[in-house]
Amino acid sequence: VRVLRSWISDQFLPVTRLDESMRTSAANLVGYLGYFAVVMMAVSSLGIGLERMAWIVSALSVGIGFGLQAVVQNFVSGVILVAERPIKVGDWVSLDGVEGNVRKISARATEIEMFDCSTMIVPNSEFITKKVRNVTMANPLGVVTLKFNMPLDVNADVVRDIMRTAMDTQPEVLDKPAPAVTLETFNEAVLTFSATCYVSSPRHVGRVRSELMFEMLSALRKRDIKMQAIPPPDDAASAP
């Protein structure tokens, strides 16, 4: 089974049109089916009929119910993950505060590489029974959102042009969907501007947001436009 799985993974699947994650899932599924076939062939060679198999399965079910329930649950969950592919290798997922990239899906657990380069081992059943956020599953685009508070007497058109120019000149910002600058809200003290643009991957959002903020702040300072400070809440201002 190992030789067959290695040949399928290293020689057969790479020449197909399947992506890397799908090749990994297919190789794992072949391995599961191969081991199951080996077990069935071994049982058959021992001359154990269906009636005896029924007794053996009944006896095993009692043991599984007491001691191996979690193991079987994780194994079945791993098969479901490979077959349905709600997550796949390379996806950016978030589960109960654990966030990172799926590195490997094995029979019992899934390895998630965190952003600090550590690895978290998560049982497969967690991805079946709990809510999982898959950042890169349906839409690979990343959304960059910036908000600035400006004084009420600022020239809104100038601020909008500065923010729009910064996004238009950033090479990683996509043309479609087009970047947009909106006046989100205003009151007697501040104007709140919101800028939204899209990048090719959610993994680029943090870097592009930082670069855009540097460019926008530099352009605002060149025009001597100062941002509006948000006053603290009343309870915070009255604190000693």
Side-chain angles (χ1 to χ4, degrees):
V1 172
R2 291 181 178 177
V3 171
L4 176 62
R5 185 184 181 280
S6 177
W7 177 81
I8 291 176
S9 177
D10 300 335
Q11 299 184 29
F12 177 72
L13 292 177
V15 300
T16 64
R17 296 183 179 180
L18 299 177
D19 57 19
E20 182 179 358
S21 60
M22 187 59 185
R23 294 199 300 265
T24 302
S25 299
N28 290 337
L29 185 59
V30 169
Y32 299 156
L33 295 176
Y35 285 119
F36 177 77
V38 168
V39 172
M40 296 304 296
M41 291 172 60
V43 171
S44 177
S45 65
L46 294 175
I48 301 177
L50 294 178
E51 298 80 4
R52 295 183 179 180
M53 282 294 298
W55 285 103
I56 294 176
V57 171
S58 300
L60 289 176
S61 63
V62 176
I64 290 172
F66 285 101
L68 300 177
Q69 183 177 2
V71 176
V72 174
Q73 183 181 10
N74 288 323
F75 176 79
V76 174
S77 298
V79 174
I80 295 175
L81 292 177
V82 171
E84 295 187 356
R85 302 181 71 212
I87 63 171
K88 57 185 183 294
V89 175
D91 280 352
W92 177 0
V93 298
S94 176
L95 171 67
D96 286 345
V98 177
E99 187 168 359
N101 300 313
V102 178
R103 189 172 68 176
K104 181 180 179 182
I105 301 176
S106 60
R108 187 191 64 84
T110 297
E111 297 181 8
I112 297 180
E113 185 176 7
M114 315 262 309
F115 298 123
D116 60 355
C117 296
S118 62
T119 300
M120 181 70 69
I121 309 299
V122 181
N124 290 330
S125 59
E126 297 288 314
F127 292 97
I128 302 298
T129 59
K130 294 185 178 181
K131 295 181 179 179
V132 181
R133 178 172 176 257
N134 192 330
V135 181
T136 56
M137 178 179 180
N139 190 349
L141 299 183
V143 183
V144 180
T145 302
L146 299 171
K147 292 185 179 181
F148 288 92
N149 295 310
M150 296 295 175
L152 188 62
D153 58 351
V154 74
N155 190 327
D157 293 333
V158 173
V159 175
R160 179 183 59 187
D161 292 341
I162 289 175
M163 300 176 75
R164 184 59 188 267
T165 300
M167 292 187 293
D168 290 340
T169 56
Q170 173 56 238
E172 293 193 61
V173 173
L174 301 178
D175 296 331
K176 294 181 181 180
V181 178
T182 59
L183 183 60
E184 188 171 292
T185 184
F186 68 91
N187 54 34
E188 67 278 359
V190 297
L191 302 175
T192 301
F193 292 86
S194 177
T196 303
C197 60
Y198 295 84
V199 292
S200 59
S201 171
R203 308 178 195 279
H204 304 160
V205 169
R207 183 181 71 256
V208 175
R209 180 190 289 118
S210 176
E211 293 177 359
L212 288 175
M213 285 192 293
F214 276 117
E215 294 178 10
M216 292 179 184
L217 287 175
S218 177
L220 290 173
R221 288 173 178 172
K222 288 180 179 179
R223 292 181 175 246
D224 198 22
I225 300 176
K226 297 182 179 180
M227 299 178 62
Q228 177 68 31
I230 301 297
D234 295 338
D235 53 353
S238 58

